[in-house]
Amino acid sequence: MKNRIISFILALSLIAVIMPALSTPSYAAGVYDAGKAVEYSYNNYDKNLGQLCAEFVSNCIKAGGITDVFSKGTGPLINQLLDGGYGTLYKMEISGGELKSNGNNTGKVKPGDVICWYCTNCRKYPHVAIVSKIEKDIVYYNAHNTSVQDGHWIGTYTSPSHSGHKFDVYILSMQTCSHPSYSFKNSSFYCDKCGSEYPIKETTCNEWMDIAKVNGSGTAPAHIKPYGDATISARYSKNDYVNVVAGATNKYGNLWYKLVDGSWLEAGYLTKHTHCYNSDVRCTHCTEGMEIIPLNNVSLTATQSPYTTHLAPYGDAVGVSQTASALTVNAKAVNAYGNIWYRLTNGRWIWSKYVQSPAVDGVVKSSASGGLSFNSKAFAAGTNGSQKLTVIPAGAHITVYPSDKCGHWYSVSYNGVVGYAAGN
């Protein structure tokens, strides 16, 4: 009788080891960032291919913030995650060889979860992968070994040691933070549990607005985050004009506008910009009516220090003094006065006279009948304040700044004078 009892206990123990245990939801001590885990999987699915599948998934999970779980074995990895309270194991239904997130699988799978293949013949887990994305209810995964990016045929696991075997598919649904409460610190609200910032959903736009109101200090303060208690990054005066690139409501439900330099202004300070057009139908304060020519992050050098960058390509726009000599620009434009300005990668503008552009030597073509008209601005003489400086004769040597070209106007240096010439 005693031997029977011992045999029965041993049998129960074996079943507990080899059968896939279904768990109930629980909260882990750590917090899992599924986005970072998925990002790691995309960046590394084709690297370190000597890694086993469980080792790859372990590293993905580690990138997601869970650092006390690691195994090269699939079964031990799954057990560590379950024992640590990091997730819930669900048996999934397979449809047409694919794992889908609808039907009876609804709510059980999301990006960052772990897919577990269970061999019912061998009674063990031979393979695991990380869920990379879900599109049109189809679940995709990244894996080692061999490398797989966004695989989706999941119903059959192929391995020489499991040829002809039957598989069940499980999802270890990772526990992520439910953000139970937020506290204000470091100029924004952060989750008390996981530390992630309160999400601000931005609606993109591109428009100019005027500072219509100021506070008791006589200014409209811009903040690094859309909260009045956040650090102030700049102060604007009444009637200043700013370039707005997005709008959003903060945690309190108040509307704020994001400026081109990344700072935020409360909506109550702003009103629609009043355009002042010249004869060329270009606003003399903002980029309205102005052709913005994209540049592929061109490197330029500042010719003086300090210099001023502006929120708009005009000298009377709100300016900030800077000293960095190396500049990277992603656009250029001719303003209403015919001056070329460059847009820096931070969204601010610098006048071309403060930068040195790459130069090439050129010769005025002999086909230029009567020579080449050399003007003070990138407009025809007599238009928008542009004056004819001289006529450059055919065959004359000039210095051309190709990156300063706007439309058919080139920035040209002739006899030590910099101006503009039209031509090809």
Side-chain angles (χ1 to χ4, degrees):
M1 179 69 177
K2 181 178 180 180
N3 290 336
R4 289 182 194 167
I5 294 174
I6 293 174
S7 297
F8 180 68
I9 293 174
L10 286 173
L12 288 177
S13 300
L14 286 172
I15 291 172
V17 170
I18 62 179
M19 290 296 290
L22 299 181
S23 66
T24 56
S26 59
Y27 286 87
V31 177
Y32 182 59
D33 189 327
K36 290 182 179 178
V38 172
E39 180 182 10
Y40 178 92
S41 74
Y42 275 114
N43 291 336
N44 294 275
Y45 76 94
D46 58 347
K47 299 180 177 67
N48 302 316
L49 296 181
Q51 289 183 349
L52 299 174
C53 60
E55 188 176 3
F56 171 70
V57 171
S58 294
N59 286 327
C60 293
I61 292 171
K62 181 178 180 181
I66 298 177
T67 58
D68 60 346
V69 170
F70 185 88
S71 178
K72 294 183 179 181
T74 52
L77 172 62
I78 294 168
N79 288 334
Q80 286 181 37
L81 290 169
L82 293 176
D83 293 343
Y86 289 112
T88 304
L89 195 66
Y90 296 107
K91 185 176 180 180
M92 308 297 284
E93 291 185 358
I94 304 301
S95 175
E98 294 177 318
L99 175 59
K100 297 188 176 181
S101 61
N102 56 5
N104 291 333
N105 294 337
T106 299
K108 298 177 181 178
V109 58
K110 61 188 179 299
D113 288 346
V114 180
I115 303 178
C116 314
W117 284 260
Y118 180 75
C119 178
T120 58
N121 299 80
C122 302
R123 295 187 176 184
K124 64 179 182 181
Y125 296 98
H127 192 46
V128 289
I130 196 91
V131 177
S132 58
K133 64 179 181 179
I134 299 175
E135 290 184 355
K136 296 181 179 180
D137 295 325
I138 298 176
V139 177
Y140 295 82
Y141 63 90
N142 295 336
H144 277 194
N145 197 11
T146 57
S147 65
V148 176
Q149 179 188 20
D150 291 333
H152 63 98
W153 295 110
I154 203 167
T156 304
Y157 171 72
T158 57
S159 172
S161 59
H162 297 276
S163 178
H165 290 188
K166 182 181 180 300
F167 288 89
D168 290 331
V169 176
Y170 290 79
I171 282 292
L172 203 161
S173 181
M174 300 295 291
Q175 176 64 54
T176 55
C177 185
S178 58
H179 307 306
S181 60
Y182 289 88
S183 295
F184 189 85
K185 56 184 177 180
N186 298 327
S187 295
S188 190
F189 281 91
Y190 295 88
C191 175
D192 294 325
K193 183 177 180 182
C194 70
S196 62
E197 188 175 1
Y198 181 83
I200 299 293
K201 186 177 180 181
E202 299 180 11
T203 301
T204 59
C205 61
N206 186 14
E207 59 182 292
W208 291 85
M209 303 188 79
D210 294 334
I211 304 296
K213 296 180 180 179
V214 292
N215 62 16
S217 69
T219 64
H223 300 260
I224 62 173
K225 298 287 184 178
Y227 296 100
D229 292 332
T231 300
I232 296 174
S233 59
R235 290 183 180 274
Y236 296 95
S237 301
K238 191 172 182 179
N239 298 324
D240 281 345
Y241 47 97
V242 293
N243 190 187
V244 173
V245 296
T249 53
N250 63 12
K251 190 175 185 299
Y252 299 120
N254 299 324
L255 177 62
W256 286 67
Y257 287 111
K258 186 177 184 180
L259 307 186
V260 69
D261 63 356
S263 62
W264 293 83
L265 269 169
E266 191 174 2
Y269 290 116
L270 297 166
T271 189
K272 186 176 178 63
H273 177 57
T274 301
H275 295 293
C276 299
Y277 294 105
N278 67 352
S279 59
D280 199 37
V281 198
R282 304 186 196 194
C283 179
T284 56
H285 292 104
C286 70
T287 57
E288 178 74 14
M290 192 181 300
E291 181 185 8
I292 309 296
I293 302 173
L295 298 176
N296 188 21
N297 290 334
V298 175
S299 296
L300 301 176
T301 303
T303 56
Q304 67 179 59
S305 181
Y307 53 88
T308 303
T309 61
H310 301 264
L311 285 179
Y314 292 96
D316 59 354
V318 177
V320 173
S321 179
Q322 294 184 215
T323 59
S325 59
L327 305 174
T328 303
V329 298
N330 58 21
K332 62 183 176 181
V334 178
N335 68 11
Y337 303 116
N339 299 318
I340 293 178
W341 286 68
Y342 290 104
R343 188 179 66 197
L344 304 175
T345 52
N346 65 2
R348 304 187 70 87
W349 293 83
I350 183 170
W351 193 2
S352 62
K353 77 172 186 177
Y354 295 131
V355 300
Q356 181 178 359
S357 305
V360 296
D361 292 330
V363 177
V364 178
K365 291 182 178 180
S366 59
S367 59
S369 178
L372 185 64
S373 182
F374 188 45
N375 300 341
S376 63
K377 296 184 177 182
F379 289 107
T383 304
N384 294 319
S386 180
Q387 299 177 353
K388 180 182 287 187
L389 300 176
T390 187
V391 174
I392 305 175
H397 288 267
I398 58 176
T399 301
V400 181
Y401 303 95
S403 60
D404 284 351
K405 181 178 182 290
C406 279
H408 62 285
W409 291 96
Y410 287 85
S411 178
V412 172
S413 176
Y414 176 64
N415 285 342
V417 179
V418 176
Y420 297 92
N424 54 17

